[in-house]
């Protein structure tokens, strides 16, 4: 197994550490705040027990996985011998340019340097680097130890070898990589999620549905299919003759409503009063942390179910 470096140990960094250590890699975590890395390891120790209880540690004990995760006192110590470096600093262009400069100058020349950025294009913070060919974005949906999809986004100068190594690295660690052909604002998942959120806010703002009605439509409707298939497979199975048959039958519905979907609603405008009030009735703000724990445990149960189903159906 390989040596992996985690640079920045907030929510995303610590989640990646779990995923990589579970895959058998030795993980060194570094953060400019020593308290942050110490707290991250304590957090990881708390999560691993739940993962073990749901058989989500590849048959390993929580202690075994935790032993693979160490805290480095210096950045150079974390980078030494690493074949993959995962950067998880704040979503700030200047910070990322500075951090990538430090990593590129200190990491092994053969190491892949990946950013967990959810919005910044890799070309914006790697153009000045000598080793820019080995740099890209590897963006997860949090937490990656429960949600396997991860976007691999190249800069114009990212080498084909770097893309292939990153894709193989993710698959070996149990992830499902989305390898983009070229960079684009929002990547893939944020663009898909953004389209859904735009319509959700519009429906509430225009008085067609309540916040809970919209949530029901996804939670108890579309998401049941989406938990094991994507939109193209969904429509391929929703017409007798497959995807072309679906388009011929139903494209007219969507072409009719599309012009109505071109007007933006300001999410932070008047509609926020309605959204916040309705959500507050269903979940008081002081219970957000408790509900987040509930969410993660439900995701663990879903991940365990999907794992078992994939084994039964040979996927």
């Amino acid at each position: 197994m390989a040596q992996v470096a985690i640079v920045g140990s907030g929510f995303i960094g610590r989640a990646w550490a779990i995923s990589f250590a579970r895959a058998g890699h030795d993980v060194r975590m570094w953060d400019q705040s020593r308290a942050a890395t110490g707290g991250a390891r304590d957090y990881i120790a708390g999560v691993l027990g739940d993962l073990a209880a749901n058989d989500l540690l590849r048959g390993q004990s929580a202690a075994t996985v935790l032993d693979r995760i160490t805290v480095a006192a210096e950045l150079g110590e974390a980078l030494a011998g690493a074949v993959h470096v995962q950067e998880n600093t704040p979503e700030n262009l200047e910070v990322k340019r500075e951090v990538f400069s430090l990593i590129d100058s200190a990491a092994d020349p053969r190491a892949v340097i990946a950013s967990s950025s959810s919005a910044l294009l890799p070309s914006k913070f790697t153009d000045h680097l000598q080793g820019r060919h080995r740099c890209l974005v590897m963006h997860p949906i949090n937490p990656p130890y429960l949600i396997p999809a991860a976007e691999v986004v190249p800069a114009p100068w990212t080498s084909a070898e770097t893309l292939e190594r990153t894709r193989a690295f993710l698959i070996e660690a149990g992830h499902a990589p989305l390898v983009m052909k070229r960079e684009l604002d929002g990547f893939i998942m944020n663009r898909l999620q953004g389209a859904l959120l735009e319509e959700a806010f519009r429906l509430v703002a225009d008085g067609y549905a309540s916040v809970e009605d919209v949530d029901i439509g996804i939670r108890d409707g579309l998401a049941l299919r989406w938990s094991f298939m994507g939109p193209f497979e969904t429509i391929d199975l929703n017409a007798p003759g497959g995807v072309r048959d679906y388009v011929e039958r139903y494209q007219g519905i969507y072409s009719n409503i599309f012009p109505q979907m071109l007007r933006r609603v300001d999410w932070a405008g008047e509609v926020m009063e309605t959204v916040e009030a309705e959500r507050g009735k269903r979940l008081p703000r002081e219970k957000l942390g408790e509900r987040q724990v509930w969410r993660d445990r439900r995701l663990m149960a879903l991940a365990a179910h999907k794992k078992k189903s994939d084994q039964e159906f040979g996927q």
Side-chain angles (χ1 to χ4, degrees):
M1 289 298 157
Q3 183 75 46
V4 176
I6 299 289
V7 178
S9 55
F11 285 118
I12 302 299
R14 66 184 68 168
W16 275 128
I18 292 172
S19 182
F20 298 150
R22 176 177 59 187
H25 300 304
D26 291 323
V27 178
R28 292 199 194 110
M29 304 178 66
W30 177 84
D31 196 291
Q32 62 180 354
S33 167
R34 293 294 298 275
T37 44
R41 199 170 186 279
D42 291 341
Y43 173 87
I44 290 168
V47 170
L48 290 175
D50 282 340
L51 292 175
N54 284 278
D55 192 25
L56 294 174
L57 291 182
R58 296 188 171 188
Q60 305 164 99
S61 70
T64 297
V65 176
L66 185 62
D67 283 346
R68 297 193 185 110
I69 302 173
T70 58
V71 174
E74 304 292 339
L75 176 60
E77 179 187 349
L79 297 175
V83 300
H84 182 92
V85 182
Q86 191 70 32
E87 173 272 330
N88 313 278
T89 59
E91 203 78 355
N92 179 292
L93 184 58
E94 292 309 311
V95 169
K96 289 200 183 293
R97 288 182 68 87
E98 180 180 354
V99 171
F100 262 72
S101 294
L102 292 171
I103 296 172
D104 186 49
S105 63
D108 187 295
R110 297 164 295 179
V112 170
I113 308 174
S115 174
S116 296
S117 175
S118 58
L120 297 174
L121 298 178
S123 63
K124 299 297 184 183
F125 55 87
T126 65
D127 60 303
H128 62 298
L129 302 177
Q130 182 176 356
R132 65 183 190 171
H133 64 281
R134 54 163 173 171
C135 299
L136 40 62
V137 163
M138 196 171 93
H139 170 236
I141 292 183
N142 200 39
Y145 54 81
L146 293 178
I147 302 178
E151 296 174 307
V152 178
V153 187
W157 39 78
T158 303
S159 71
E161 180 192 7
T162 297
L163 277 175
E164 176 54 30
R165 286 178 58 195
T166 304
R167 186 192 70 84
F169 178 76
L170 282 167
I171 291 174
E172 191 278 330
H175 287 278
L178 296 69
V179 182
M180 294 189 68
K181 296 180 179 180
R182 59 185 187 273
E183 63 180 15
L184 176 70
D185 287 330
F187 313 146
I188 295 172
M189 290 187 287
N190 276 331
R191 293 178 76 93
L192 292 172
Q193 180 172 244
L196 180 57
L197 285 171
E198 286 287 341
E199 186 58 31
F201 273 98
R202 194 162 37 241
L203 287 168
V204 173
D206 293 348
Y208 292 108
S210 70
V211 170
E212 180 61 9
D213 287 331
V214 173
D215 277 358
I216 288 172
I218 302 301
R219 180 185 67 228
D220 300 317
L222 295 173
L224 295 179
R225 290 188 303 217
W226 290 349
S227 67
F228 57 87
M229 66 175 70
F232 285 116
E233 184 174 7
T234 295
I235 66 172
D236 198 24
L237 300 180
N238 272 6
V243 64
R244 183 179 295 275
D245 187 20
Y246 182 94
V247 169
E248 290 172 352
R249 289 169 182 259
Y250 303 118
Q251 180 178 208
I253 297 174
Y254 299 99
S255 63
N256 179 55
I257 65 176
F258 182 69
Q260 304 167 34
M261 304 168 73
L262 299 180
R263 175 182 57 84
R264 282 212 77 240
V265 167
D266 180 5
W267 299 3
E270 291 183 12
V271 68
M272 178 48 62
E273 300 300 320
T274 301
V275 172
E276 189 172 42
E278 291 190 27
R279 282 301 306 151
K281 288 179 181 177
R282 298 190 65 84
L283 180 66
R285 302 300 87 179
E286 63 270 17
K287 292 187 176 292
L288 274 173
E290 178 182 322
R291 189 68 168 175
Q292 288 164 349
V293 172
W294 169 86
R295 175 203 62 196
D296 287 351
R297 286 179 175 161
R298 296 309 303 152
L299 281 171
M300 288 181 196
L302 178 60
H305 168 72
K306 286 171 67 70
K307 174 185 174 184
K308 181 179 179 181
S309 296
D310 289 348
Q311 290 172 344
E312 289 177 352
F313 290 99
Q315 297 182 357

